[in-house]
Amino acid sequence: MLYLQNLSKAYRTDTVETTALNAVNIEIRQGEFAAIMGPSGCGKSTLLNIIGMLDTPSSGSYLFKGEEIAGYSEAKLSDIRKENIGFIFQSFNLIDELTVYENVELALLYHKIGREERRARVEAVMAKVGIDHRAGHRPAQLSGGQQQRVAVARAVVSNPALILADEPTGNLDSHHGAEVMDLLQTLNREGTTIVMVTHSITDAGRAKRVINLLDGHVMAEGLRAA
């Protein structure tokens, strides 16, 4: 699905240059569930942002579905991102003024989908993640685990080929974190490709493959038993 070759990212100011990623080579195949691990500052979030087309590499190649996108404009990247990628963030990133239903539906408003189809898809995905009974509530009325379920629903309602999860259980207790990881594993078994950044060894153990970063380099990769 995606292939990064000799990909680097440097941030420059007038006086200093910081290398966040250095000659990274990673391939993620369709249907994989990969966890990216490493200490703070090792380049995990930068890597996820580049994979998600929220940031661009300084050098190197990025093939997405066989298409070289490293030099694309932000408008072109936005179109590809909108059609292919769902995001799950540690901080949920829900809109407080909207209901659960409206937060999930928001992901479909950027697509040419009629109202009735939107309703059907939103209701189906809310039921799938077990949040349909909270459709009329606002985020402040939900527990952290429930809010993350809404975020998962929003990420998958457009049927993306790829889900990027940045510390998806970082703000949750162990019980609610396990529930969110159960959801991600279910989505992966159904065919969705998932790339997850995590500090949690337990969460990484749910993935099929672990990629370890250190100082902007891929230090090790390993497959886990299914």
Side-chain angles (χ1 to χ4, degrees):
M1 168 173 279
L2 62 92
Y3 181 46
L4 313 179
Q5 185 175 27
N6 293 323
L7 188 139
S8 296
K9 178 65 178 182
Y11 296 97
R12 297 177 177 88
T13 67
D14 291 338
T15 58
V16 68
E17 176 176 304
T18 302
T19 300
L21 297 173
N22 192 351
V24 167
N25 294 284
I26 293 175
E27 182 176 8
I28 304 291
R29 295 182 177 88
Q30 176 67 43
E32 278 200 286
F33 185 169
I36 301 172
M37 298 192 74
S40 296
C42 72
K44 299 188 303 298
S45 293
T46 298
L47 178 59
L48 201 71
N49 285 340
I50 289 176
I51 291 174
M53 306 174 204
L54 299 173
D55 200 354
T56 55
S58 301
S59 62
S61 173
Y62 179 7
L63 294 175
F64 186 81
K65 291 186 171 181
E67 184 177 359
E68 177 60 70
I69 66 167
Y72 279 2
S73 68
E74 173 53 37
K76 179 65 172 175
L77 291 174
S78 178
D79 288 341
I80 298 173
R81 184 170 61 237
K82 179 175 62 177
E83 294 298 325
N84 292 280
I85 303 176
F87 294 88
I88 302 170
F89 302 97
Q90 177 179 351
S91 57
F92 315 139
N93 285 9
L94 303 177
I95 298 176
D96 292 338
E97 293 76 21
L98 300 182
T99 65
V100 166
Y101 180 97
E102 291 166 340
N103 267 283
V104 177
E105 184 187 34
L106 189 64
L108 296 177
L109 297 181
Y110 304 102
H111 300 263
K112 295 180 180 179
I113 298 174
R115 179 179 298 179
E116 290 307 311
E117 183 180 350
R118 287 203 309 271
R119 177 180 294 278
R121 289 171 68 165
V122 171
E123 290 178 347
V125 78
M126 287 193 304
K128 184 174 186 176
V129 304
I131 205 70
D132 48 323
H133 63 296
R134 295 284 194 172
H137 290 71
R138 300 189 188 280
Q141 299 172 293
L142 308 179
S143 69
Q146 290 171 331
Q147 289 187 58
Q148 193 62 298
R149 284 173 175 267
V150 178
V152 171
R154 182 187 57 194
V156 304
V157 70
S158 60
N159 298 321
L162 173 65
I163 289 179
L164 300 180
D166 191 358
E167 299 282 2
T169 68
N171 284 334
L172 304 177
D173 61 33
S174 58
H175 173 72
H176 289 113
E179 290 182 341
V180 169
M181 292 306 302
D182 288 342
L183 285 173
L184 293 180
Q185 282 190 299
T186 297
L187 292 168
N188 179 245
R189 284 193 293 267
E190 293 172 351
T192 302
T193 306
I194 299 175
V195 179
M196 173 182 68
V197 161
T198 183
H199 281 100
S200 169
I201 295 174
T202 300
D203 289 355
R206 303 283 200 115
K208 298 175 181 176
R209 177 176 163 213
V210 177
I211 300 166
N212 289 285
L213 292 185
L214 182 64
D215 296 334
H217 296 274
V218 175
M219 299 303 294
E221 295 188 50
L223 296 176
R224 294 185 177 273

